[in-house]
DNA sequence: GTATTAGTGTTTTTT
DNA sequence: ACACTAATAC
């Protein structure tokens, strides 16, 4: 295809408004893009257009997206149009952009190149250690809150003791060459402000800057963008104030509302045609969101046919709710991957998980317990982190006794004190002060072995995954898992380890791999998996599904009681709006009266009323299923004699059931004893 | 001194 | 499902 035809093809795939936005090349442009209005398409095509028409070189383009998944998808789609040149475009999240810039200029702020990124768990571990040595006990969660407040707004709490914990926290981070998520942004800004020549380098490089999901930009992110616009004003942002749902992490949707004020010659384009959902679904979304006051006027419309009416599911308990959802899924005849179940809080996934598992419906949970949060994965990653950065105390603390090697809390404490005294890391203390602490032969030997393994791995040449394999062998991790877990669980963990090793292929350095892991988001691991998807509404942002269930539509759950008391109902309403606009064809809104871990009787969410779905006698929207089911005490649907299917072993017959274990005679593999919870058996009718 | 175990708590949303 | 604690075992 010739060059001009390709451009013609791109432009012909857009509607008038989208094309108008795309062809606006110079100056500040705000695209107000309602849910499902094709904003990603506009953003992608615009960047492809800039390159294809030689308006900009790839390396002169910066695009900031919300997740790494979105970044990768965008890069791929641009590649499809302009080819390999797409590789030199900077497409990043704010955090990964910060990390990249900081690594390119690490020395200026006094870090080493191999700084690590501490996650929530590391932060907590560190804070606990600090309090332990000071003899104080504060709530770790609120300490993290104070740290974030300080980093974002410079606000220090009154209490001197809390101040000193925070100071020590930051001191430790610096000394140990670590940054937390906020540091990635704050330090980048600091770099720009303290070293104008560094800012100039980037501000001159990036001639066209794009920001996706602009409504969730925080003040510090906004400042970063403003700095980069030092020499020009080619800023193209896409967003929708109705979908601003991250205020708790600093997002401020007034930034998008103030765009024209901040950039006086701004051009604004509104995209209101929706290509995702049916008219019924959009009408419902519009009815609810119009109750918000802080927004521009906007009404989504579509050419889609009317479609199926959204339904309300009303049940007594969460068990029945789950059972009803299972029935709807099974009756539909659709593939499981068509369904998504969305909820306000992670805790609501429990009852569903059980029901799905019992009925042999494949599912996967996004977030909550993520792959990268499993014990075995975190253990091995901690080893890699320590190998990469010997100053990573939190990594060392995690794995010093995993597997147990005869080094206990007393020994560790002794090295902590030496590290503190000498201003070095714990690992360095072990290496340099072995004699002072370990006078017992056994402890000394154990420490020497440990250090030797870490040093050997660090000095090793060759592939990452081969190094990891050798590491696992030398620390005896497989044996450790097998001796401490029951067979089903151990099998599971070993599979995860294998998956982890496989995920290392394709990375050329430990640095690159660790960074991609620490900045990974929920959505990043979503793609390859089939089955029903379960996730929070926050995690579902930017995604779409043929059939969506939104559960937990009860007062104090959704809207959440903390948002009610903090007078943050509008954000909850936006969250509801995001949830329902994920649905392409069918939408089910579910509430019930009683939930596990909740003693009180639950009232239906106000959003159901705003959607016009309550208080109608003989309501055509409502499916009433007040079925008080028999308690399934066995907790599984299997009977002796049933024919079942197992993912690996194939078809077999249930021979006996004993509590949570079943014996199954498989055609190929013979008799196996399986733990029901893990076996994921499917009934074959 | 270190390892293991049983019991407890965990639940707003996340890069 | 996990981390943390306190108690006991080695």
């Amino acid at each position: 295809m010739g060059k001009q035809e390709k451009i013609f093809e791109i432009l012909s795939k857009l509607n008038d408004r989208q094309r108008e936005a795309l062809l606006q090349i110079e100056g500040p442009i705000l695209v107000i893009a309602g849910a499902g209005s094709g904003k990603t398409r506009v953003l992608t095509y615009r960047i492809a257009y800039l390159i294809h028409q030689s308006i900009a070189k790839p390396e002169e383009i910066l695009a900031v997206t919300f997740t790494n998944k979105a970044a990768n998808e965008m890069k791929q789609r641009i590649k499809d149009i302009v080819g390999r040149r797409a590789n030199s475009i900077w497409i990043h999240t704010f955090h990964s952009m910060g990390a990249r810039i900081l690594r390119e200029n690490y020395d200026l702020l006094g870090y080493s190149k191999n700084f690590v990124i501490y996650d929530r768990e590391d932060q907590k571990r560190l804070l606990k250690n600090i309090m332990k040595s000071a003899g104080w006990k504060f709530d770790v969660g609120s300490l993290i809150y104070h740290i974030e407040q300080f980093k974002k707004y410079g606000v220090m709490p009154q209490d001197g003791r809390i101040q000193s914990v925070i100071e020590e926290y930051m001191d430790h981070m610096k000394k140990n060459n670590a940054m937390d998520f906020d540091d990635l942004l704050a330090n980048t800004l600091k770099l720009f402000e303290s070293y104008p020549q560094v800012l100039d380098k980037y501000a001159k490089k990036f001639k066209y800057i794009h920001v996706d999901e602009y409504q969730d930009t925080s003040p510090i992110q906004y400042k970063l963008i403003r700095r980069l616009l030092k020499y020009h004003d080619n800023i193209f942002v896409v967003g929708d104030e109705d979908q601003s749902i991250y205020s708790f992490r600093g997002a401020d949707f007034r930034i998008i509302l103030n765009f024209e004020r901040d950039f006086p010659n701004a051009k604004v384009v509104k995209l209101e045609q929706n290509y995702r959902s049916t008219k019924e679904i959009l009408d419902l979304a519009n009815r609810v969101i119009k109750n918000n006051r802080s927004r521009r006027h906007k009404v989504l419309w579509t050419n889609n046919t009317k479609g199926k009416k959204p339904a309300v599911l009303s049940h007594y308990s969460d068990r029945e709710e789950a059972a009803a959802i299972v029935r709807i899924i099974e009756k539909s005849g659709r593939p499981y991957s068509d369904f998504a179940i969305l909820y306000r809080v992670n805790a609501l996934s429990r009852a569903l998980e059980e029901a799905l598992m019992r009925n042999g419906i494949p599912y996967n949970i996004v977030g909550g317990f993520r792959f990268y949060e499993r014990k075995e994965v975190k253990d091995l990653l901690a080893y890699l982190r320590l190998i990469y950065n010997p100053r990573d105390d939190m990594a060392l603390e995690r794995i010093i006794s995993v597997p147990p090697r005869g080094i206990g809390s007393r020994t560790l404490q002794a090295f902590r004190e030496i590290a503190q005294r000498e201003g070095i890391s714990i690992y360095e203390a072990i290496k340099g002060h072995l004699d002072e602490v370990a006078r017992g032969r056994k402890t000394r030997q154990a420490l020497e072995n440990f250090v030797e393994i870490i040093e050997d791995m660090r000095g090793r040449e060759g592939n990452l995954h081969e190094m990891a394999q050798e590491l696992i062998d030398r620390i005896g991790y497989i044996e450790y898992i097998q001796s401490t877990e029951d067979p089903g669980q151990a099998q599971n963990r070993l599979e995860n380890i294998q998956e982890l090793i496989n995920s290392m292929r394709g990375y050329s350095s430990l640095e690159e791999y660790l960074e991609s892991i620490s900045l990974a988001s929920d959505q990043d691991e979503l793609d390859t998996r089939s089955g029903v998807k379960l996730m929070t509404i926050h995690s579902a942002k930017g995604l779409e599904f043929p059939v969506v269930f939104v559960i937990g539509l009860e007062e104090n759950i959704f809207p959440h009681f903390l948002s009610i008391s903090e007078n943050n109902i509008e954000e909850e309403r936006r969250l509801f709006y995001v949830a329902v606009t994920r649905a392409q064809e069918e939408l089910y809104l579910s509430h019930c009266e009683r939930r596990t871990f909740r003693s009180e009787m639950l009232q239906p969410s106000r959003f159901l009323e705003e959607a016009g779905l309550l208080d109608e006698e003989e309501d055509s929207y409502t499916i009433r299923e007040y079925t008080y089911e028999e308690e399934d005490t066995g907790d599984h649907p299997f009977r002796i004699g049933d024919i079942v299917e197992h993912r690996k072993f194939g078809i077999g017959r249930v021979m006996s059931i004993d509590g949570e274990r079943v014996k199954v005679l498989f055609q190929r593999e013979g008799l196996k004893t399986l733990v029901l919870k893990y076996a994921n058996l499917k009934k074959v009718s």
Side-chain angles (χ1 to χ4, degrees):
Chain A
M1 201 183 318
K3 195 171 168 176
Q4 286 317 309
E5 284 95 69
K6 216 163 196 174
I7 286 305
F8 180 76
E9 201 201 333
I10 287 177
L11 294 178
S12 70
K13 278 183 185 161
L14 300 175
N15 69 29
D16 290 349
R17 291 275 85 75
Q18 291 172 329
R19 197 176 310 119
E20 182 189 346
L22 183 150
L23 291 173
Q24 199 71 33
I25 303 296
E26 304 292 323
I29 300 128
L30 165 62
V31 180
I32 300 284
S37 62
K39 71 181 169 75
T40 313
R41 163 172 284 203
V42 173
L43 207 48
T44 309
Y45 282 178
R46 150 138 171 150
I47 293 171
Y49 184 82
L50 291 178
I51 295 170
H52 208 269
Q53 297 293 87
S54 303
I55 297 166
K57 294 180 196 150
E59 59 270 24
E60 293 171 342
I61 297 173
L62 169 67
V64 183
T65 59
F66 203 69
T67 62
N68 293 304
K69 176 170 181 267
N72 292 335
E73 279 174 9
M74 189 177 291
K75 190 167 254 178
Q76 190 52 52
R77 282 161 78 170
I78 297 173
K79 238 184 212 170
D80 292 342
I81 303 171
V82 304
R84 300 241 304 270
R85 278 179 295 170
N87 285 331
S88 20
I89 311 169
W90 274 46
I91 308 184
H92 286 289
T93 64
F94 272 107
H95 290 87
S96 70
M97 176 182 81
R100 182 166 177 183
I101 292 173
L102 287 167
R103 283 211 205 277
E104 286 179 355
N105 303 275
Y106 61 93
D107 50 330
L108 293 175
L109 295 181
Y111 287 84
S112 319
K113 184 153 192 298
N114 58 349
F115 66 81
V116 284
I117 299 162
Y118 273 10
D119 66 10
R120 211 14 89 74
E121 195 193 307
D122 300 320
Q123 286 182 294
K124 286 182 177 167
R125 199 185 287 268
L126 173 56
L127 287 167
K128 276 178 190 160
N129 283 352
I130 292 171
M131 288 192 287
K132 211 180 203 171
S133 47
W136 292 327
K137 270 192 179 132
F138 300 114
D139 176 60
V140 181
S142 74
L143 283 175
I144 288 177
Y145 171 80
H146 286 306
I147 290 168
E148 287 178 350
Q149 289 297 302
F150 178 70
K151 288 192 175 163
K152 285 191 189 103
Y153 312 111
V155 186
M156 242 326 170
Q158 296 289 310
D159 192 327
R161 294 169 307 167
I162 296 181
Q163 282 182 19
S164 69
V165 173
I166 294 177
E167 275 159 16
E168 207 163 312
Y169 170 88
M170 294 194 295
D171 197 48
H172 176 103
M173 296 290 281
K174 191 76 187 271
K175 262 198 213 142
N176 289 55
N177 207 19
M179 296 197 203
D180 60 28
F181 285 120
D182 285 332
D183 289 334
L184 293 175
L185 305 178
N187 284 337
T188 307
L189 189 62
K190 198 165 144 196
L191 185 71
F192 284 172
E193 286 174 351
S194 316
Y195 299 92
Q197 72 278 17
V198 175
L199 170 62
D200 279 9
K201 194 174 92 192
Y202 294 103
K204 283 177 181 157
K205 171 180 165 70
F206 298 127
K207 301 211 169 97
Y208 292 89
I209 296 178
H210 307 77
V211 184
D212 195 10
E213 307 281 11
Y214 191 65
Q215 76 281 357
D216 281 317
T217 301
S218 69
I220 188 163
Q221 293 167 343
Y222 173 73
K223 277 188 199 157
L224 283 171
I225 293 295
R226 285 310 293 236
R227 296 284 182 281
L228 288 171
L229 291 170
K230 188 171 172 186
Y231 294 110
H232 63 82
D233 66 346
N234 299 323
I235 169 83
F236 186 99
V237 307
V238 183
D240 174 8
E241 68 269 12
D242 291 337
Q243 295 185 66
S244 175
I245 56 174
Y246 277 99
S247 70
F248 66 91
R249 114 185 166 192
D252 188 345
F253 68 97
R254 286 173 303 183
I255 292 173
I256 194 172
L257 291 177
N258 288 339
F259 189 84
E260 295 109 304
R261 192 201 67 189
D262 294 346
F263 301 95
N265 51 341
K267 165 97 181 165
V268 179
V269 182
K270 258 193 217 176
L271 306 181
E272 289 168 297
Q273 181 174 4
N274 173 293
Y275 294 96
R276 178 185 295 152
S277 311
T278 65
K279 184 168 187 316
E280 288 281 357
I281 291 166
L282 287 183
D283 287 349
L284 187 155
N286 283 330
R287 275 202 298 280
V288 174
I289 199 65
K290 72 166 196 275
N291 292 298
N292 270 10
R293 300 180 55 97
S294 315
R295 63 189 291 263
R296 299 160 200 260
H297 179 73
K298 173 155 56 47
V299 178
L300 291 179
W301 60 275
T302 178
N303 286 330
N304 279 6
T305 45
K306 273 197 105 181
K308 216 169 160 178
K309 279 191 172 177
V312 174
L313 309 179
S314 305
H315 292 93
Y316 175 70
S317 71
D318 46 5
R319 281 182 66 105
E320 289 159 22
E321 172 183 67
I325 289 174
V326 165
R327 275 199 297 279
I328 293 172
I329 290 173
E330 291 200 316
K331 264 202 300 201
S332 73
R334 287 172 178 271
Y336 293 130
S337 55
D338 274 9
F339 297 93
I341 305 173
L342 309 182
Y343 34 82
R344 175 68 233 266
V345 294
N346 280 308
L348 295 189
S349 68
R350 274 282 180 83
L352 279 159
E353 270 189 88
E354 278 167 28
L356 291 167
M357 201 176 283
R358 246 208 313 270
N359 289 279
I361 296 178
Y363 69 93
N364 38 76
I365 297 195
V366 182
F369 299 107
R370 305 207 284 260
F371 179 71
Y372 292 118
E373 281 169 14
R374 309 236 177 92
K375 175 187 161 13
E376 61 278 19
V377 174
K378 294 216 79 162
D379 285 346
L380 294 174
L381 287 177
Y383 271 99
L384 296 184
R385 280 169 50 181
L386 184 64
I387 290 164
Y388 178 60
N389 175 10
R391 283 151 71 186
D392 192 338
D393 280 355
M394 296 308 108
L396 180 131
E397 296 233 2
R398 188 184 172 96
I399 45 93
I400 187 74
S401 285
V402 180
R405 48 170 67 85
I407 303 167
S409 57
R410 297 301 273 266
T411 306
L412 179 59
Q413 183 56 33
F415 284 117
R416 273 198 206 112
E417 280 158 18
I418 292 171
Q420 178 77 24
R421 196 180 65 220
E422 306 278 320
I424 54 178
S425 74
I426 300 176
Y427 181 76
E428 286 160 347
I430 294 175
K431 251 175 84 175
H433 298 72
L434 242 177
D435 307 319
E436 291 170 46
V437 178
R439 278 193 247 115
R441 259 215 319 272
K442 261 173 129 177
T443 314
R444 197 197 160 94
Q445 187 60 49
L447 287 162
E448 279 173 354
N449 286 344
F450 176 70
V451 170
E452 193 186 340
I453 293 173
I454 301 297
E455 294 298 316
D456 284 356
M457 292 301 117
R458 185 175 304 128
R460 203 180 176 289
E461 306 273 314
N463 287 328
L464 205 53
H465 62 267
E466 285 167 7
M467 186 263 266
Q469 189 60 62
E470 190 183 326
L471 172 73
I472 290 166
D473 293 343
R474 287 197 44 190
I475 62 177
Y477 199 79
I478 307 286
E479 295 76 11
Y480 161 66
I481 290 294
Q482 281 169 338
S483 65
T484 51
E485 311 268 1
D486 66 73
Q489 178 73 285
Q491 180 62 26
N492 202 333
R493 291 199 195 279
L494 296 185
E495 281 169 15
N496 288 334
I497 291 170
Q498 200 49 55
E499 197 176 329
L500 183 73
I501 291 175
N502 286 338
S503 77
M504 292 175 191
R505 293 170 198 275
Y507 286 93
S508 49
S509 71
L510 195 49
E511 170 180 311
E512 197 188 324
Y513 180 70
L514 288 177
E515 183 147 312
S516 81
I517 298 291
S518 44
L519 296 177
S521 74
D522 282 354
Q523 290 187 9
D524 298 343
E525 51 178 302
L526 185 70
D527 269 355
T528 54
R529 310 180 182 249
S530 61
V532 178
K533 283 164 190 81
L534 278 67
M535 67 190 95
T536 64
I537 300 163
H538 285 91
S539 305
K541 180 181 170 122
L543 304 175
E544 59 185 20
F545 311 93
V547 185
V548 168
F549 298 92
V550 186
I551 67 166
L553 278 159
E554 296 114 26
E555 284 294 298
N556 292 325
I557 291 179
F558 191 14
H560 195 272
F561 69 99
L562 286 171
S563 298
I564 296 174
S565 63
E566 283 166 21
N567 213 3
N568 213 355
I569 286 297
E570 296 216 342
E571 176 139 324
E572 294 286 306
R573 194 175 281 115
R574 291 193 290 269
L575 202 48
F576 180 82
Y577 178 79
V578 169
V580 298
T581 51
R582 299 309 95 199
Q584 294 169 299
E585 295 163 33
E586 292 179 40
L587 174 64
Y588 297 88
L589 303 175
S590 177
H591 72 101
C592 53
E593 282 180 25
R594 302 244 171 228
R595 281 191 191 276
T596 326
F597 299 119
R598 286 263 176 183
S599 51
E600 81 275 27
M601 172 108 127
L602 299 163
Q603 301 299 324
S605 167
R606 67 191 72 185
F607 300 139
L608 289 173
E609 195 174 342
E610 291 176 11
L613 298 178
L614 285 186
D615 299 325
E616 286 179 50
E617 216 46 56
E618 203 49 46
D619 194 335
S620 62
Y621 285 102
T622 307
I623 304 171
R624 296 254 170 218
E625 295 194 56
Y626 280 100
T627 45
Y628 292 81
E629 287 180 321
E630 272 295 295
E631 190 80 353
D632 182 4
T633 46
D635 213 33
H636 56 75
F638 301 109
R639 299 281 175 274
I640 291 173
D642 280 351
I643 305 296
V644 294
E645 183 175 1
H646 184 273
R647 198 163 58 88
K648 277 228 177 74
F649 304 141
I651 303 285
R653 179 189 295 273
V654 177
M655 303 308 283
S656 73
I657 305 177
D658 170 26
E660 54 169 23
R661 284 167 204 278
V662 282
K663 283 191 173 149
V664 181
L665 184 62
F666 289 101
Q667 289 171 339
R668 283 183 284 126
E669 309 279 340
L671 191 67
K672 297 256 179 208
T673 305
L674 302 166
V675 182
L676 268 171
K677 220 159 82 185
Y678 304 114
N680 205 2
L681 288 175
K682 248 180 276 179
K683 226 168 163 168
V684 182
S685 45

